Amino acid sequence: MHTLIPFILVVGTTLAPIAAGSSFSAADTQLTERDIGNFKAIAFASSISILSSARTNSSRCKAFPGDQSWPTADEWSRLNTTLGGVLLNPLPAASVCYPTSPAFNSAACNFLFTNASSTSFYLDDPLTSLNLWPQGNTCIASRTPTGNCTQGGYPVYVVNATSVKHVQAAVNFARNKNIRLVIKNTGHDSVGRNVGAGSLSVWTHYLRGFELLPSHKQPGVSYRGTAARVGSGLQVWDAFGQSARSNITLPAASCLTVGSYGGWFTGGGHSPLSSTYGLGVDQVLSLDVVTADGRYVTASPTANQDLFFAVRGGGGSTYGIVTSAIVKAHPSTNLTIASFTFTLNPSAPPTPVEAPSPAATIASSSAFWAGFNAVFAFGAPVADAGGYLWTNGIKVSNTSYLMQVRAQMVGISPPQAAAFVQPLLATLNALGIPVSITTPTTTVYAQQPNPSTGGGPGNSRFASRLFPRASWDNATLFNATMTAAREAVEAGYTFHGLNMSPTKKVAATGGELPLAGVNPVWRDAVMHADVFDTINMATATPAEADAANARLNGVMDKIRAATPGGGAYFNEAGGELEPDWQHSFFGTNYDKLLKVKRERDPWGVFWAPATVGSESWAVELAVQGGLKNQNGRLCRV
Ligand SMILES: Cc1cc2nc3c(=O)[nH]c(=O)nc-3n(C[C@H](O)[C@H](O)[C@H](O)COP(=O)(O)OP(=O)(O)OC[C@H]3O[C@@H](n4cnc5c(N)ncnc54)[C@H](O)[C@@H]3O)c2cc1C
Ligand SMILES: *[C@@H]1O[C@H](CO)[C@@H](O)[C@H](O)[C@H]1NC(C)=O
Ligand SMILES: *[C@@H]1O[C@H](CO)[C@@H](O)[C@H](O)[C@H]1NC(C)=O
Ligand SMILES: *[C@@H]1O[C@H](CO)[C@@H](O)[C@H](O)[C@H]1NC(C)=O
Ligand SMILES: *[C@@H]1O[C@H](CO)[C@@H](O)[C@H](O)[C@H]1NC(C)=O
Ligand SMILES: *[C@@H]1O[C@H](CO)[C@@H](O)[C@H](O)[C@H]1NC(C)=O
Ligand SMILES: *[C@@H]1O[C@H](CO)[C@@H](O)[C@H](O)[C@H]1NC(C)=O
Ligand SMILES: *[C@@H]1O[C@H](CO)[C@@H](O)[C@H](O)[C@H]1NC(C)=O
Ligand SMILES: *[C@@H]1O[C@H](CO)[C@@H](O)[C@H](O)[C@H]1NC(C)=O
Ligand SMILES: *[C@@H]1O[C@H](CO)[C@@H](O)[C@H](O)[C@H]1NC(C)=O
Ligand SMILES: *[C@@H]1O[C@H](CO)[C@@H](O)[C@H](O)[C@H]1NC(C)=O
C-alpha cells in the first residue's frame, strides 16, 4: 500500500479544512457546439468520425513534439482559449535545481529538500507521479545535479480541469489530433499510469465537488437512504472532512492523500472497512464519465451498463474519465486499533516472559517464525469479524527480524477489541513471545487525524498477491504460503499483509449492485499483501534493474505457487512485470472488459501500461531493459 515508506504512520491532528468550491454547478458545465464553432480539433467523434479514424489508422504512432503532425502553437493557444486559460505547460518540479534550466532557483530547490514533504507541494504539482522511475528519471531533485533536466516521460501540456467541458475538450483534441492522452489525479499510481512522454494530461485534482444526498433513490438500485455525490478529484482527507461534517462514512484508502474517486475505486479500492462494506467499487451507485468520443454520459445499473460494469474495477485510464460519482454513505462508525510488535534479536536483552510488552524482543528464531505464522492465521478471523489485519514482516539485519501488527476493527469499543485479539496474544505467549497490547485506540473513521500533506516521491518497485481463502483453510497450502512469505522477508523484502474479506455478501451491504468488473478473486480473498523491494531506480543500471526484477519474481513465484486461484490487486502491483497480468489483475472478467474497451475506445484514446487492451500499444524506448518507463513514443504493436 505504501510504495515509498511501507510502514509510515500518518501524523497530524487537525481536521481537514472544507474543500473549496464544493458545489457542482460550475463543474457540470459541458462542451457545446457553440464552444466548438469552427474549431474542428475539439469536435465530438460522431461529427468527424471518418476523418479521425483515417488519421489514426494512417499513423503507427501517436504524434510527438517535433513531428509535422504535432499541433501548431496557434492550435494549442486556441485550445487554451476554449478552455478559458486552464492549459498549462509545466516544467518538472525539480527543474529549479538545474542551473541549465530556465526555471533554476536555488531557494525553490532548497524548498524541495526542506519543506516539500511537510506540505501538499507534490500532491498539488501538475506533473509529479509519486513513484519517479516511470517518468524516466530525467529530472531528479538534487543539490548537485548532473546533466540537464528534461521533460522525459512527463506530459507536455496539462489541462487543469475544473469542469466536464474542460475534460471533453481535452479528450476531443487528443483524439482528433492523435495525441497521447494521460489522466492524472493525485499521482499515487506506482507504475506510470499517470504520465507519458509527448502527452496531453487531464489533471482531475480540482474536480472536488461534494454534495450530500440525504434520501437518494435511483431506478434499478435497491440502496435507499443517504448517499453522496463526489467529484473525482477528492482525496481521502477531503472526503473524510466532508463525511465528518455530514456524520457519514465513505470507505477509503488508508493513505489519506490517495484520490478516492479516481484511481482508487476504478481499480478496486480496499480500505480498513472492506470486510464490513466491501471494496471501493461496491460503493458506487452511478458514475458520470467522459468517454473516448468526448460525450458525457451517466453509467448506472439502468444506463450504459457496460461502462458501469467496466469502470467499477476494470481499471482507471481505460474506458473514460470519471468526473463524479454517486456513492453509498454508511452511518458514522469508529475504527478501533489494537497494535503490537515483536522482534527477533538474539543479541538484545529479551523481554521477560513474566512481563509481556507491546514491543516484545525474543532470541528464538523458531519462535519468531511460528509467531509470524500465528499472526497471519489470525488474519482470517479478523476479516470474518469485519476487520482488517495490517502487518509488516521486516528484515532488520541478517539475524534480526521485526513483526508489526495492527488489528483494525470496525464499530467495536476498545475493550471489545482487546478481548478480540486476546486469543492471538495467548497463542504468541504460549510460543514464548511475551507480547501484550496497550489499550486499543478508537477514532470516528472519518475523523482520522491527517494533515493532508504527503512525503516526497519514491523511486522503487514492488509486487503483490491476492491470497485465496483455500490457502488459509488447507494446512498444506497455508504452510507453503507462510514458508514463501518467510523466504521473501529473509531475502530482504518487506512483506506487508492486509487481511480482509470483501465478499459478495458484504459488498451488498445496503443494497446489491450488478456484477462489477473488479477481479472476482477479491470476493474469496483473505489477504492482499505487498512485497516491497528496496531497489533505488534512480541509480540502478538497466542490468541491475533486470536482475532485481528476476529476483523479486523468483520470490513471488513461490508465493504464487502456494496460492493457486489467487491473483493480484491491479492498483498495487508491478504493472507489466506481473506474469499474465491480464488474468492476475482482472481474472475471469478480462475478456468481457476487453470487449467494452474495444467498443468504447476504438481510437485508443486512453492508454496506460498493463490496463485492459493496452497490449495493442507499446512505448518505444531508447534504452530497453530494467523497467519499461514512459519516456518514449507510444506506438501500435
Ligand atoms: C502511499 C500509498 C498508499 C496507498 N494505500 C492504498 C490503500 O489503502 N488502499 C488501496 O486500495 N490502494 C492504496 N493505494 C493504491 C492507490 O489506490 C492507487 O495508487 C490508485 O490508483 C491511486 O489513484 P489516484 O487517483 O489517487 O492516483 P493517480 O496516480 O493520479 O491515478 C491512478 C490511475 O487512475 C487513473 N485515473 C485517475 N483519475 C481518474 C479518473 N477520474 N477517471 C479515469 N481514470 C482515472 C489514472 O490515469 C491512473 O491510471 C496506495 C498507494 C500509495 C502510493
Ligand atoms: C480504421 O479504418 C477502418 C476503415 O478504413 C475502420 O473500419 C476502423 O474502425 C478504423 N479503425 C480505427 C481504430 O479508427
Ligand atoms: C493559457 O492561457 C492562460 C491565460 O491566458 C495563460 O496564463 C497560460 O499561460 C496559457 N497556457 C499556455 C500553455 O500557453
Ligand atoms: C520551510 O519550513 C521552515 C521550518 O518549518 C519554515 O520556517 C519556512 O518558512 C518554510 N519555508 C517556506 C519557503 O515555506
Ligand atoms: C545541457 O543544456 C545546455 C544548455 O541548454 C547545453 O548547452 C548542453 O549541451 C546540455 N547538455 C547535455 C548533456 O545535453
Ligand atoms: C489549477 O486550478 C485550481 C482551481 O482553479 C487552482 O487553484 C490552481 O492554482 C491551478 N493550478 C495550477 C498549477 O495552475
Ligand atoms: C451520527 O450518526 C450516528 C450513527 O448513525 C448516530 O448514532 C449519532 O447520533 C449521529 N450523531 C449526530 C450528531 O447526529
Ligand atoms: C548477511 O548475509 C549475507 C548473505 O549471506 C552476507 O553476504 C552479508 O555479508 C551478511 N551481512 C552481515 C552484516 O553479516
Ligand atoms: C469513537 O471515537 C471517538 C473519538 O474520535 C470517541 O470520542 C467515541 O467515544 C468513540 N465512540 C465509540 C462508540 O467508541
Ligand atoms: C490441500 O492442498 C493440496 C495442495 O494443493 C492438495 O493436494 C490437497 O488435496 C488439499 N487438501 C484438501 C483437503 O483440499
Ligand atoms: C511446513 O513447511 C516446512 C518448510 O517447507 C516443513 O519443514 C514442515 O514440515 C511443514 N509442516 C507441515 C505441518 O506441513
Side-chain angles (χ1 to χ4, degrees), residues 6-32:
F7 34 92
I8 196 172
L9 263 170
V10 174
V11 291
T13 49
T14 47
L15 193 61
I18 298 183
S22 54
S23 147
F24 278 97
S25 50
D28 284 339
T29 311
Q30 294 183 45
L31 185 72
T32 62

Side-chain angles (χ1 to χ4, degrees), residues 475-476 479-480 483 487:
T476 311
N479 191 20
T483 301
E487 284 174 10

Side-chain angles (χ1 to χ4, degrees), residues 80 85-89 157:
N80 194 13
V86 300
L87 186 69
L88 313 173
N89 54 349
Y157 288 97

Side-chain angles (χ1 to χ4, degrees), residues 62-85:
K62 299 274 185 181
F64 208 73
D67 288 357
Q68 221 186 353
S69 65
W70 184 255
T72 62
D74 277 355
E75 285 174 304
W76 286 109
S77 170
R78 197 162 174 196
L79 174 65
N80 194 13
T81 304
T82 314
L83 292 168

Side-chain angles (χ1 to χ4, degrees), residues 275-286:
S275 309
T276 297
Y277 292 129
L279 297 168
V281 296
D282 302 321
Q283 313 310 314
V284 182
L285 304 173
S286 158

Side-chain angles (χ1 to χ4, degrees), residues 247 331-333:
N247 197 29
S332 175
T333 191

Side-chain angles (χ1 to χ4, degrees), residues 344-623:
L344 167 65
N345 188 350
S347 50
T351 303
V353 284
E354 63 282 7
S357 161
T361 300
I362 58 170
S364 159
S365 169
S366 60
F368 180 87
W369 295 109
F372 180 85
N373 291 6
V375 168
F376 286 107
F378 197 70
V382 169
D384 293 344
Y388 189 76
L389 186 70
W390 179 105
T391 51
N392 276 311
I394 299 166
K395 182 175 188 172
V396 179
S397 74
N398 279 357
T399 51
S400 177
Y401 292 88
L402 167 66
M403 186 68 182
Q404 300 175 315
V405 183
R406 285 185 214 156
Q408 312 197 11
M409 308 305 294
V410 181
I412 66 174
S413 68
Q416 285 170 323
F420 186 85
V421 298
Q422 201 49 51
L424 172 59
L425 297 175
T427 303
L428 294 171
N429 293 168
L431 288 168
I433 305 172
V435 76
S436 64
I437 52 165
T438 50
T439 307
T441 59
T442 193
T443 329
V444 174
Y445 178 70
Q447 288 179 12
Q448 291 174 58
N450 188 272
S452 81
T453 62
N459 217 332
S460 197
R461 66 161 303 221
F462 64 106
S464 71
R465 189 73 180 161
L466 279 175
F467 297 70
R469 195 168 278 268
S471 295
W472 254 241
D473 290 348
N474 177 322
T476 311
L477 288 176
F478 185 72
N479 191 20
T481 303
M482 288 300 108
T483 301
R486 171 182 175 167
E487 284 174 10
V489 179
E490 287 176 332
Y493 300 100
T494 292
F495 187 89
H496 176 50
L498 293 169
N499 284 99
M500 69 188 113
S501 283
T503 60
K504 270 188 191 154
K505 184 162 175 267
V506 298
T509 305
E512 196 175 346
L513 291 159
L515 181 73
V518 73
N519 194 341
V521 167
W522 269 111
R523 301 308 180 192
D524 185 44
V526 79
M527 180 164 85
H528 152 68
D530 294 318
V531 180
F532 291 102
D533 199 349
T534 53
I535 185 173
N536 179 350
M537 293 298 295
T539 52
T541 63
E544 286 165 346
D546 276 343
N549 293 341
R551 208 158 52 231
L552 177 56
N553 253 332
V555 161
M556 289 308 299
D557 279 343
K558 290 196 178 169
I559 295 176
R560 291 173 188 128
T563 53
Y569 174 32
F570 168 77
N571 270 345
E572 294 178 64
E576 291 173 329
L577 287 164
E578 173 75 20
D580 188 19
W581 58 260
Q582 288 85 344
H583 297 100
S584 259
F585 296 157
F586 303 101
T588 50
N589 279 340
Y590 192 75
D591 293 345
K592 201 173 159 197
L593 291 168
L594 185 59
K595 187 165 176 278
V596 178
K597 168 68 180 176
R598 288 187 172 146
E599 286 170 4
R600 287 286 179 172
D601 185 14
W603 307 272
V605 172
F606 305 114
W607 188 88
T611 53
V612 171
S614 62
E615 311 86 336
S616 306
W617 297 82
V619 176
E620 298 195 339
L621 296 170
V623 179

